[in-house]
Amino acid sequence: MALTKLDQLYRQVILDEATHPRHHGKLSQPTHTITVRNPSCGDVLTLDLQVVDGVIQAAAFAGSGCTISQASGSLMTDQIIGQTPATVSRMVETFSTLVIDGQAADEALLGDAAILRGVHQFPARIKCATLAWKAAAQALTEGAQHD
Ligand code: ZN
C-alpha cells in the first residue's frame, strides 16, 4: 500500500523534477549562499541566491541526495524567484506544515511545490522534502556574502 502510493508520487512530478531539475548549478555572484545537510538520508544541498532591491532575482541549487530532496530543490527554487525574503519565510513555514500535516492554510502560496504534500504519508522523507526550504530560510538569515 505505502509502496504503491510512493510509486505514484515518484511517477507523477517528482521523478521528472529530480531528473530534469530547474535552477540546478551555481550562481556566478550570489548575494547569499548556504550548505545544508540531512544526515538521516545523506542529502547535501548548496543554495545560492541573488537578492537585489529586496527581491530574489535568481536562485540555484547544487548537491546530491535522494529523489525527493532534489525534486524539492527544483520546485523550491522555481517558486521563490521573484519573491521577497519575508514571503519566502512564510512559504518555508507553509511548506513545512504541508508535508507534516498534508495540508496548510495558505498552501496556494507554494504554487507547484504543493505537489510534495504526498510526502506527509512518509514521515521518514519529510526531512528530505524540507531540506531545500530550510536552506532558503537559512541562506537569507545567515548566508549573506561579503566582499
Ligand atoms: Zn533524502
Side-chain angles (χ1 to χ4, degrees):
M1 184 68 178
L3 267 178
T4 303
K5 283 184 181 170
L6 187 58
D7 280 348
Q8 285 172 356
L9 193 63
Y10 278 140
R11 263 201 295 266
Q12 283 168 5
V13 178
I14 291 174
L15 188 60
D16 193 51
E17 292 287 345
T19 50
H20 306 287
R22 288 168 284 180
H23 313 293
H24 196 262
K26 304 283 291 173
L27 298 181
S28 55
Q29 291 182 310
T31 57
H32 296 71
T33 189
I34 199 93
T35 296
V36 292
R37 290 176 176 78
N38 172 21
S40 66
C41 181
D43 309 317
V44 182
L45 191 146
T46 298
L47 179 67
D48 288 348
L49 301 176
Q50 191 171 34
V51 184
V52 181
D53 296 334
V55 173
I56 294 160
Q57 305 283 354
F61 77 100
S64 59
C66 66
T67 303
I68 299 265
S69 70
Q70 296 290 301
S72 189
S74 176
L75 289 158
M76 181 280 294
T77 45
D78 207 44
Q79 292 300 319
I80 67 168
I81 292 170
Q83 307 287 358
T84 64
T87 300
V88 171
S89 173
R90 280 180 57 209
M91 291 168 81
V92 171
E93 296 207 358
T94 299
F95 184 82
S96 184
T97 302
L98 184 69
V99 294
I100 291 169
D101 296 342
Q103 55 185 358
D106 49 358
E107 63 188 63
L109 201 57
L110 300 173
D112 290 347
I115 188 73
L116 288 167
R117 77 171 67 249
V119 171
H120 87 274
Q121 298 170 89
F122 310 98
R125 313 314 297 275
I126 287 170
K127 283 183 181 170
C128 303
T130 55
L131 185 68
W133 299 80
K134 285 181 178 163
Q138 216 172 319
L140 289 166
T141 53
E142 29 181 293
Q145 301 296 291
H146 303 285
D147 292 329

